Amino acid sequence: VLLKNLVVLGYLRYDRAERLYFPTPRVASLGDWISQALFGQGRVLELMHELHDATGETVSIAMLNDIYVQYIRVIQSRHAIRFPTDEGSLRPLTRSAVGWLLLTDRTDAEVEKLVRRANIAVPGGEERVPLETIAAELHDARLRGTLYLENLPLPGGATIGVVLPWRVQGRLVVLGMGGT
């Protein structure tokens, strides 16, 4: 029933002889509003390119997706030693400076719950980050709206992030830059 409704709405094409459904070009337009909501008139994308041009490091925009950081837009580092992050990829929020910054609008109780759940999702106990470590950084990050961390998610790397001045569906959006 769902597939037939999607055909009627123009999102799927149905081939009766093959009994096959296939997406139509209308599916591609489903996400058009996201770029406008996230990037407005493009100033954020310009800022990302300016930061990348000035440093050559990886620049990203990220949001919280359950217990994960999801990288919405990424410009990869052009340096020989880099820590690549793919657009759309997910990383447990405890394993990212950007993830910690995305917790700054949450209460301490909410932070504790999210960190506990994210740590459970991290394979291997050595990569789990204690709540106390994150909580200590969150106090100052809440005041400044920025966070700088070294050796997370990888040794030898560092990330700086800033909370952007708008929200998407009530959720924080963070601009991050990271490298060696």
Side-chain angles (χ1 to χ4, degrees):
V1 172
L2 178 61
L3 292 172
K4 288 183 189 283
N5 283 331
L6 290 173
V7 169
V8 170
L9 292 170
Y11 292 107
L12 292 178
R13 178 180 53 80
Y14 181 63
D15 182 332
R16 191 170 304 277
E18 299 282 329
R19 291 184 158 190
L20 212 67
Y21 290 90
F22 195 80
T24 67
R26 187 165 186 196
V27 171
S29 68
L30 285 173
D32 287 348
W33 68 272
I34 295 172
S35 288
Q36 182 66 25
L38 285 176
F39 311 121
Q41 299 301 317
R43 180 63 188 126
V44 174
L45 296 177
E46 288 175 28
L47 178 60
M48 288 179 72
H49 285 284
E50 289 171 15
L51 285 169
H52 184 262
D53 291 344
T55 65
E57 299 295 356
T58 300
V59 181
S60 64
I61 293 176
M63 295 177 63
L64 203 57
N65 184 348
D66 190 29
I67 58 171
Y68 299 96
V69 172
Q70 184 162 25
Y71 295 92
I72 307 301
R73 212 33 91 97
V74 178
I75 301 174
Q76 298 293 345
S77 171
R78 62 177 174 249
H79 297 299
I81 299 175
R82 60 179 155 222
F83 307 110
T85 301
D86 295 327
E87 267 186 27
S89 66
L90 299 171
R91 176 176 288 145
L93 65 87
T94 56
R95 299 296 306 151
S96 166
V98 175
W100 294 19
L101 195 52
L102 287 166
L103 293 173
T104 56
D105 70 334
R106 305 298 175 112
T107 66
D108 290 342
E110 290 172 316
V111 169
E112 180 180 356
K113 184 177 179 180
L114 287 167
V115 167
R116 190 170 356 108
R117 287 180 48 222
N119 272 332
I120 290 169
V122 172
E126 71 281 350
E127 291 188 355
R128 293 182 177 152
V129 181
L131 173 63
E132 298 76 25
T133 303
I134 295 172
E137 292 290 338
L138 283 184
H139 175 72
D140 290 337
R142 283 178 173 136
L143 297 174
R144 291 189 314 263
T146 65
L147 181 66
Y148 172 80
L149 284 178
E150 294 181 0
N151 300 312
L152 190 72
L154 299 167
T159 303
I160 187 166
V162 62
V163 175
L164 293 174
W166 70 85
R167 293 173 179 252
V168 173
Q169 294 182 321
R171 298 183 325 172
L172 289 182
V173 182
V174 169
L175 176 67
M177 183 175 68
T180 58

